Amino acid sequence: PDSLPDLAAQSGAAPGLSDAPPGLSVAPPRLCWVAVQTSGSPPAPREMHACALVPACCAEEGGLGAGLLLVYGGRSGGKVLNDLWLLDLETHTWQCAISPFARCSHALSLRPPATRRGAGQSAELVVFGGFDGSALHDSTLLLTLTRDAERPALCAAKWRDLYGDLKGAPKARFAHAQAATSRAVYVFGGAFEGGSLADTNRLDLTL
């Protein structure tokens, strides 16, 4: 049909083809992935890690600059990692901190600062579940990031296992999905030794 060339041009099916039919108008792509050039020692290659973003609005309130990208844990060469990497989104400089908790196939979420205590002084993130190389976990970890008073260019990371503050926990799991608000963390699905999960769990945050 005569309408097919127009449909192809609108759908983006033809862009980038050097042999596009004569007369076909091909719009350039509007979205493009780019490699970010960073400085400092970068994280090692890995898989099954977790990432989260502390956006500029949260970072500035906490004195953490123009925003941070976090990369936590994962697996490299069969080893489960316990490193936490922070990329300053203004300078594109990496910083590494060591966590007391090795994890892979875990979940990591930013807790927005709307109503939590100390919201103007730090950024908080919540970690749930994952595998440490020997066992699955049902633990909930709280990560607090603040500006290092002695080294203002760096962030200080403080970890806390919330085990003693919790009553009950979802089944230990890995490869699940998670999201957080300032008041709660939600976890859905994942896998355990016996198969896959389809449960929805919420943890109300009153800390």
Side-chain angles (χ1 to χ4, degrees):
D2 294 338
S3 61
L4 283 182
D6 292 335
L7 179 61
Q10 293 172 10
S11 68
L17 298 179
S18 59
D19 57 347
L24 177 62
S25 176
V26 177
R30 290 178 295 171
L31 303 175
C32 181
W33 284 98
V34 297
V36 178
Q37 301 301 315
T38 64
S39 59
S41 299
R46 64 194 60 208
E47 61 188 9
M48 296 184 285
H49 49 289
C51 286
L53 190 71
V54 180
C57 58
C58 299
E60 289 170 356
E61 288 184 11
L64 300 173
L68 297 168
L69 172 68
L70 280 71
V71 178
Y72 171 42
R75 191 176 68 175
S76 180
K79 179 183 178 181
V80 179
L81 304 171
N82 67 333
D83 51 354
L84 171 69
W85 293 85
L86 303 96
L87 180 67
D88 186 303
L89 297 182
E90 181 175 23
T91 65
H92 290 167
T93 302
W94 285 107
Q95 173 193 342
C96 180
I98 300 300
S99 164
F101 309 100
R103 290 289 189 274
C104 70
S105 290
H106 50 300
L108 171 68
S109 299
L110 173 71
R111 182 186 180 190
T115 58
R116 63 177 175 80
R117 294 195 293 268
Q121 305 165 11
S122 62
E124 288 186 351
L125 298 100
V126 179
V127 179
F128 177 76
F131 181 65
D132 68 0
S134 59
L136 291 180
H137 283 271
D138 62 358
S139 58
T140 303
L141 309 175
L142 181 67
L143 167 62
T144 303
L145 297 175
T146 57
R147 181 62 64 186
D148 191 317
E150 297 182 359
R151 297 174 295 173
L154 301 178
C155 292
K158 180 180 179 181
W159 292 88
R160 178 181 170 191
D161 189 336
L162 299 181
Y163 176 80
D165 298 298
L166 297 176
K167 180 179 180 180
K171 178 184 286 289
R173 67 193 64 203
F174 67 99
H176 48 288
Q178 173 181 302
T181 70
S182 61
R183 298 178 182 273
V185 178
Y186 293 84
V187 171
F188 177 80
F192 69 113
E193 295 93 334
S196 299
L197 297 163
D199 55 341
T200 303
N201 300 275
R202 184 186 76 208
L203 172 63
D204 292 322
L205 296 171
T206 57
L207 300 173

